[in-house]
Structure formats: C-alpha cells, structure tokens
Amino acid sequence: MDTIVLIKDIIYYIISFIGIAVVLWAVLEATIKFLRVELVWRHDLKRFSYETRIIRERLGIHLIFSLDIFVGADIIKTVGAPTMESVIILLVIVSIRIALSYFLAKEIERNKEMMKELDERYRDNESNAK
C-alpha cells in the first residue's frame, strides 16, 4: 500500500510541476512579448492596445490550461482512501479553480469582442486613408 501512495504522490507532484511550468512559461512569454510591444508600438496607442490584448488573451488561455492541470493534480492527490475532510478541501479548491477558469474565459471572450471592434476600426481607418 505504501508503494501505491508513493506512486500517487509522485504523479501528483509531476502533474503539479507541469502546471507550474505552464504558468511560468505563460508569464515569461507574455512579459517578453509585452516588452517587445512596448518598444515597438509605444507611440501608437491603438496598435499598442491591440497588441497587448492579443498578449492578454494568450496569457489567459495558458492560465486556464494550468488551472485545469492543477485540478487534475488535486483529484489525483485525493484518490485512494479519501477522508471527508480531504474531499471537502478538494471540493473547495476545485470550485475556486473552476470559478477562476470561468471568469478568465469570460474575460477572454470580452477581449475577443473588443479586438473585433478594433479590427473593424483599423479597416475603416485604412479604407478612409486611401
């Protein structure tokens, strides 16, 4: 039985590490892209806004993915001989992570709508300039 618990714990830590790696990668990628956008588009507020929205959308997608990974890790952690206390803790943690994922997804959708509006404005401005 100790071997099974050890294997379960190892799997939990591996999956948790993957979730942490996804978060770190997303933050690093977003930071690098933001710095690049800041240098290139800082004088063009419209383009700057558009580019940062793309970065935010991608970061949000990564964060939602990492939250899903953490939920899976938490479920694996509780598998075996769960106590009522561990099940309640899992329920609370999973509920919070699902709520975070939901609101991040809503933010991404709202961001996509704003980007569509910006795209239409750019097309209108380019056609008027010609």
Side-chain angles (χ1 to χ4, degrees), residues 22-73:
V22 169
V23 171
L24 291 176
W25 176 262
V27 170
L28 180 65
E29 178 186 63
T31 302
I32 291 169
K33 287 183 177 183
F34 178 77
L35 291 173
R36 190 176 304 142
V37 165
E38 178 71 31
L39 291 172
V40 174
W41 300 109
R42 67 176 169 237
H43 299 296
D44 184 352
L45 185 58
K46 289 179 185 177
R47 186 63 185 208
F48 179 81
S49 176
Y50 181 81
E51 294 295 330
T52 54
R53 288 186 187 284
I54 292 171
I55 294 168
R56 288 181 63 196
E57 180 179 336
R58 186 164 171 88
L59 176 63
I61 290 168
H62 279 90
L63 293 177
I64 290 171
F65 180 59
S66 66
L67 285 169
D68 290 341
I69 292 171
F70 289 130
V71 166

Side-chain angles (χ1 to χ4, degrees), residues 1-10:
M1 191 68 174
D2 288 337
T3 307
I4 293 173
V5 171
L6 178 64
I7 292 170
K8 177 189 70 138
D9 288 345
I10 290 170

Side-chain angles (χ1 to χ4, degrees), residues 2 10 14 19 21-22 34 37 42-43 50 52 58 60 64 69 73 77 83 92 96 100-101 106 117 119-121 127:
D2 288 337
I10 290 170
I14 289 170
V22 169
F34 178 77
V37 165
R42 67 176 169 237
H43 299 296
Y50 181 81
T52 54
R58 186 164 171 88
I64 290 171
I69 292 171
K77 183 179 180 182
T83 63
V92 169
I96 290 169
L100 286 170
S101 293
K106 284 290 205 187
E117 289 176 19
D119 280 340
E120 289 172 6
R121 287 182 192 170
S127 64

